Amino acid sequence: MITGCFLLGRARDAMTQEEQQLIEDSIREVVELPPRKTLVRAGERIRTSTYLIDGFIGRYMDDREGHRQLVATHVPGDFVDLHGFALKRFEHDVATVGRARVATFDHEVLARINERHPNLTRILWFSTLLDAAMHREWIFRLGRLDAAGRVAAFFCEMEARLDMVKLVDEGRYALPFIQTEVAEACGVTGVHVNRTLKMLRERGLMTFGDGLVTIHDAVGLRRLAEFDPRYLYADSSELMLDARDDATT
Amino acid sequence: MITGCFLLGRARDAMTQEEQQLIEDSIREVVELPPRKTLVRAGERIRTSTYLIDGFIGRYMDDREGHRQLVATHVPGDFVDLHGFALKRFEHDVATVGRARVATFDHEVLARINERHPNLTRILWFSTLLDAAMHREWIFRLGRLDAAGRVAAFFCEMEARLDMVKLVDEGRYALPFIQTEVAEACGVTGVHVNRTLKMLRERGLMTFGDGLVTIHDAVGLRRLAEFDPRYLYADSSELMLDARDDATT
DNA sequence: CGGCTCTTTGAATGCCGTCAAATATTGTGG
DNA sequence: CCACAATATTTGACGGCATTCAAAGAGCCG
């Protein structure tokens, strides 16, 4: 395994041995990226897709005054730019948060997979649908929750997603974000994130500092965030098997 | 054409004659639905997908107190539940807004398409990616725009999407929403939507009442909304052709 | 040590939510 | 067709959460 990491982290269970091998053989190269390195700018023609092996990547949109909104975050095991295969252009920027290691795939090989491997295509499709499910959850949070709920939800989601790829150790996980970046994800100001973190700390729910998150009261934090991890479809293998039922019917 | 409407509205250009026919032959039935009819509830096992021929459909999530957030809206020509084919369960409800007419597809036939028609599969995949692009735009709006910007953006997006399927006549289009529903889409209260609409009216930007939207100053409205329609990929046929380039390379 | 970035805290402003009530519109049954 | 209820729209007053502006402290690196 040249990636040195679970390829397609969680989707892996749904894939056959050959499919896993095929994906791995399709990698063009593996690259190390520095922090805050922009991979794709809005409007550029995209010819490769990126798989995140290690580190964190964000998708950003700017308002007229240049204020950023983080519209998605990616954790190790995410096929970050898979949708670029069909969209060809993004309406947003893509950049690393901390340092990251990624594998790149040319669109020609994805086109070949699309052409010849319908089951694998569906798994890839599924992984882009997960992104959409997370988007919907964020729409809900930004529309209905106050700052505390949003910030709590952000850390709950990161915990749940990182846990799926074994990057959480007893409620603790590394997250190379600064408070301003959390703010950009939650649609609040950095100052207010700071106040909110203080409140979460004082209530004994969680702490965040130096790129390390520690969740002390997962139940309380999830209640504040109205967090229900089902939207992450952690039991995706079950669902994909369901899908195979359809196929053979 | 039994649907009496453009099938797959905008994606149609990217499809061959046979592909269009195949989709049409895959329809199980066409159904009329009353206003506020729930099609799918969160958590239910989904076995069919819905294509919206006529009317409007929304996707809803509720907070703990029962307040709704509209996380997506669908206009005629949208393949509303296509992602249900791979997800099998939703984390939200799906319901009509006004009355609607839909076509339903069994997942078995979608599985067959997935299995045997890679190009058509990619087009369907693409259409789910458009939903995700719209989700991202809404995340940006909810995170960065004030109430006026969000409400303006809502009407701008509806105008642009309905225009693609020829449902806009000189800046006027039918939209069977009440103010509360606009509020649920924009993450503000109904009362405040009312004030915002008054302001938009007084500034000569647009009017909304009795299910009819009239845009008087599209440029001004779009500026207020920071609206750039590129995220809707209206030139999708161009992009899909690009994709075919990859395939034949 | 000095400059940089990040975090933390305070004070004042303001946008939007909540509560409340009046008006307008739609729907229903007699 | 009217009466009445239910639903939508509109407007006002008040309060609170979050932004903005400002500045002080903390950590890091050359």
Side-chain angles (χ1 to χ4, degrees), chain A residues 61 64 68 85 88-89 91-92 114 118 122 125 128 136-137 144 223 226 233 242 246, chain B residues 61 64 68 85 88-89 91-92 107 114 118 122 125 128 136-137 144 223 226 233 246:
Chain A
M61 298 179 66
R64 193 178 297 132
R68 294 204 305 183
F85 166 58
K88 299 304 175 195
R89 285 184 171 82
E91 74 289 359
H92 56 265
N114 170 225
R122 176 158 55 185
W125 186 356
T128 65
R136 285 190 291 272
E137 196 70 21
R144 292 288 156 230
R223 186 170 47 235
E226 304 201 9
Y233 296 83
D242 281 2
D246 290 344
Chain B
M61 298 179 65
R64 194 179 295 133
R68 295 203 304 184
F85 167 57
K88 299 304 174 194
R89 285 185 172 81
E91 73 288 0
H92 56 264
H107 283 182
N114 170 227
R122 175 158 57 186
W125 186 357
T128 65
R136 284 191 290 273
E137 195 70 20
R144 290 289 157 232
R223 185 169 49 234
E226 305 202 11
Y233 295 83
D246 290 341

Side-chain angles (χ1 to χ4, degrees), chain B residues 80-129:
Chain B
V80 173
D81 274 346
L82 189 50
H83 50 318
F85 167 57
L87 287 182
K88 299 304 174 194
R89 285 185 172 81
F90 291 143
E91 73 288 0
H92 56 264
D93 299 334
V94 182
T96 58
V97 180
R99 63 181 62 258
R101 198 155 102 262
V102 302
T104 60
F105 294 79
D106 290 325
H107 283 182
E108 293 92 69
V109 308
L110 295 178
R112 271 230 316 286
I113 289 172
N114 170 227
E115 199 69 33
R116 301 182 196 165
H117 300 274
N119 189 56
L120 189 49
T121 298
R122 175 158 57 186
I123 290 169
L124 295 180
W125 186 357
F126 175 79
S127 96
T128 65
L129 294 176

